[in-house]
């Protein structure tokens, strides 16, 4: 399968000079987690100059450099990733999945002769997993058993550092070997934005350093079992918008993320 058959043909774009609040509002309105960043050149043509994701915003907002700056005061261009890896419309889906895995990215802008044709994301590739070739695989076959976790009492700034170092967008929150919740980059972004609206400027530096994981994590986490078919896991991800599910037996056995399923896609579809 080639990616022009599964890509989103109308990618959501934002100008590089708009601010972070504009970006978050647009993400919410269009129910997406990433935006293509454009610049209009002197010939009034749109140029693709970068991409910005919720995780980019979360990690930037939590940094010491930008910790005291209102999100409305800095531009998308300060947060975006400018070094883009792109694809052609006729790229094979298996190759697209491999490129995403090798570069630890969640999407590929699709260009042809410099023109933006669309974007293909991990979610777009998940749709492939509803096919018969994937029916025999279960969550146990693809899950990651080496889980990176935090405790509810740890500080959010520490959780942010773990996400950066591990290159991931979610952490399982464990308390005495029990699953207490899950913390995602989206949770972190929304929490920091709301925090800055409510807390007076003079108190922000100290308060944000002491914000705890339990203050912003999601509780009552949706889980799956080891026997859950990959076809069902992929469908659940597409229906809920969740990027990962903890796998539970008697206790937490692992986690299945979109990245884990991409590994299976590369294995089955083949890379040439």
């Amino acid at each position: 399968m080639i990616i022009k058959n599964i890509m989103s043909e109308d990618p959501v774009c934002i100008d590089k000079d708009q601010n972070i609040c504009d970006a978050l509002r647009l993400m919410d309105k269009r129910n997406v987690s990433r935006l293509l960043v454009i610049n209009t050149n002197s010939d009034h043509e749109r140029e693709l100059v970068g991409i910005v994701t919720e995780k980019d915003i979360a990690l930037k907002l939590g940094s010491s450099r930008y910790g005291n700056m209102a999100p409305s005061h800095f531009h998308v261009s300060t947060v975006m990733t400018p070094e883009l890896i792109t694809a052609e419309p006729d790229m094979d889906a298996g190759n697209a999945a491999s490129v995403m895995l090798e570069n630890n990215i969640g999407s590929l802008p699709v260009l042809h002769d410099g023109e933006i044709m669309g974007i293909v994301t991990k979610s777009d590739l998940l749709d492939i997993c509803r096919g018969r070739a994937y029916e025999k695989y279960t969550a146990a076959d693809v899950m990651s058993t080496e889980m990176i976790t935090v405790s509810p009492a740890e500080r959010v700034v520490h959780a942010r550092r773990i996400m950066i170092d591990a290159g991931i967008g979610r952490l399982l929150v464990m308390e005495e070997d029990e699953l207490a919740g899950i913390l995602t980059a989206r949770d972190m972004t929304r929490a920091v934005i709301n925090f800055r609206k409510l807390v007076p400027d003079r108190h922000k530096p100290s308060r944000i350093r002491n914000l705890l994981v339990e203050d912003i994590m999601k509780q009552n986490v949706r889980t799956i079992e080891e026997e859950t078919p990959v076809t069902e896991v992929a469908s659940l991800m597409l229906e809920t918008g969740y990027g990962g599910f903890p796998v539970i037996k008697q206790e937490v056995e692992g986690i299945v993320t979109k990245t884990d399923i991409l590994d299976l896609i590369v294995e089955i579809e083949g890379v040439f």
Side-chain angles (χ1 to χ4, degrees):
M1 181 179 292
I2 58 176
I3 61 175
K4 75 176 180 181
N5 294 329
I6 59 173
M7 70 182 186
S8 301
E9 295 183 355
D10 184 26
V12 186
C13 300
I14 190 167
D15 190 274
K16 68 180 181 62
D17 293 325
Q18 290 182 255
N19 64 51
I20 299 305
C21 289
D22 293 331
L24 291 172
R25 281 193 291 267
L26 187 54
M27 287 179 185
D28 280 339
K29 181 179 179 180
R30 299 293 295 271
N31 193 29
V32 296
S33 60
R34 69 198 68 243
L35 304 170
L36 295 186
V37 184
I38 61 170
N39 177 54
T40 304
N41 64 25
S42 57
D43 295 323
H44 305 289
E45 298 172 332
R46 295 195 318 169
E47 299 175 323
L48 180 64
V49 295
I51 190 167
V52 61
T53 69
E54 283 184 327
K55 185 165 76 170
D56 295 330
I57 295 173
L59 300 182
K60 184 74 73 172
L61 289 180
S63 69
S64 57
R65 179 178 179 183
Y66 296 97
N68 297 324
M69 187 184 298
S72 59
H73 289 176
F74 57 93
H75 296 152
V76 169
S77 58
T78 65
V79 178
M80 71 180 191
T81 300
E83 299 85 13
L84 286 176
I85 299 171
T86 64
E88 287 282 338
D90 59 355
M91 175 184 269
D92 181 78
N95 279 302
S98 180
V99 170
M100 289 184 194
L101 290 172
E102 289 172 4
N103 294 280
N104 193 26
I105 54 178
S107 64
L108 293 170
V110 183
L111 306 181
H112 182 64
D113 291 335
E115 182 181 351
I116 302 171
M117 305 298 293
I119 186 171
V120 61
T121 68
K122 287 181 180 179
S123 294
D124 296 320
L125 292 170
L126 285 183
D127 202 46
I128 298 173
C129 297
R130 299 185 184 192
R132 292 185 60 183
Y134 295 83
E135 290 176 350
K136 65 181 180 181
Y137 296 94
T138 67
D141 295 321
V142 299
M143 69 182 184
S144 300
T145 56
E146 294 183 5
M147 297 167 288
I148 302 175
T149 67
V150 291
S151 75
E154 288 188 79
R155 295 184 301 158
V156 170
V157 290
H158 176 59
R160 170 187 171 274
R161 173 47 56 186
I162 293 175
M163 285 187 183
I164 291 174
D165 292 343
I168 56 178
R170 66 189 43 78
L171 295 168
L172 296 185
V173 185
M174 304 292 294
E175 187 171 28
E176 297 181 355
D177 296 324
E178 295 287 333
L179 181 65
I182 193 166
L183 178 66
T184 68
R186 172 175 286 193
D187 300 326
M188 201 176 295
T189 302
R190 299 305 188 268
V192 171
I193 291 289
N194 292 332
F195 176 88
R196 290 179 175 186
K197 289 179 181 177
L198 297 173
V199 177
D201 287 345
R202 67 182 182 279
H203 296 308
K204 284 177 183 176
S206 61
R207 294 272 187 89
I208 201 165
R209 284 195 298 270
N210 293 310
L211 192 64
L212 301 180
V213 169
E214 64 185 355
D215 297 328
I216 66 172
M217 70 183 188
K218 281 190 177 70
Q219 302 181 50
N220 303 316
V221 181
R222 185 158 186 177
T223 63
I224 57 176
E225 299 177 348
E226 289 182 320
E227 297 79 17
T228 306
V230 164
T231 50
E232 184 178 332
V233 178
S235 293
L236 282 172
M237 287 179 173
L238 291 171
E239 290 164 11
T240 63
Y242 296 164
F245 294 104
V247 182
I248 303 288
K249 196 174 183 180
Q250 299 297 330
E251 56 188 26
V252 180
E253 301 291 333
I255 185 171
V256 176
T257 67
K258 291 178 182 178
T259 298
D260 296 316
I261 296 181
L262 253 63
D263 278 320
L264 182 61
I265 291 173
V266 170
E267 179 183 334
I268 293 178
E269 302 297 326
V271 180
F272 304 99

